[in-house]
Amino acid sequence: MRNIRAIRNEADYDWALAEIAHYFENQPAPGTEAANRFDVLASLIETYESRHWPIEATDPIEAIEYRMEISGYTQKDLSELIGSRSRASEILGRKRPLTMQMAHKLSVEWNIPAEVLLRPYHLDSR
């Protein structure tokens, strides 16, 4: 494989991005040396990014709010799904935790990954 190197700093990272960009315009055929080079560059870039710019786990309430925003759902839609308007308000206001049953319904009906909904999150103690 020609000219592959570790990504140790921003200059190496910029080089790797420039190198991999060529493959987005001309995708290599699977199993070729070019495809292998693409895979190695992608792995190096992913590793560097995860070390330098880790993505924090999604908060369950933020995930619900995001789904509501992108899907046009309202708090009324949430209340119909989980049982009552006050319960929906308490969930979104972080006054009440999600139950397993609520998480299951949100996962199935709104297609929010269950592993996101089951993560621990903070409740307001006020």
Side-chain angles (χ1 to χ4, degrees), residues 30-51:
T32 63
E33 185 176 330
N36 291 339
R37 187 170 190 271
F38 173 84
D39 290 343
V40 170
L41 284 167
S43 293
L44 290 169
I45 290 167
E46 181 181 13
T47 299
Y48 183 82
E49 288 175 345
S50 68
R51 287 184 183 154

Side-chain angles (χ1 to χ4, degrees), residues 5-67:
R5 63 181 190 241
I7 301 175
R8 293 187 177 95
N9 54 44
E10 287 296 310
D12 292 339
Y13 177 68
D14 291 340
W15 168 83
L17 290 177
E19 288 293 309
I20 204 168
H22 302 292
Y23 296 112
F24 292 118
E25 296 168 8
N26 298 309
Q27 291 187 352
T32 63
E33 185 176 330
N36 291 339
R37 187 170 190 271
F38 173 84
D39 290 343
V40 170
L41 284 167
S43 293
L44 290 169
I45 290 167
E46 181 181 13
T47 299
Y48 183 82
E49 288 175 345
S50 68
R51 287 184 183 154
H52 290 82
W53 305 295
I55 298 173
E56 292 184 31
T58 303
D59 175 277
I61 303 307
E62 290 172 0
I64 293 168
E65 291 170 338
Y66 178 73
R67 174 60 69 201

Side-chain angles (χ1 to χ4, degrees), residues 61-113:
I61 303 307
E62 290 172 0
I64 293 168
E65 291 170 338
Y66 178 73
R67 174 60 69 201
M68 290 171 72
E69 181 181 326
I70 66 168
S71 300
Y73 294 139
T74 63
Q75 189 168 325
K76 181 180 181 216
D77 296 319
L78 179 61
S79 68
E80 290 171 359
L81 186 65
I82 63 172
S84 75
R85 187 164 262 194
S86 63
R87 187 166 296 142
S89 179
E90 290 171 342
I91 296 293
L92 293 176
R94 298 178 182 271
K95 304 290 184 202
R96 173 191 292 259
L98 287 168
T99 65
M100 290 293 285
Q101 184 177 9
M102 290 176 198
H104 178 73
K105 284 182 180 180
L106 286 162
S107 179
V108 170
E109 299 294 327
W110 285 10
N111 202 28
I112 301 172

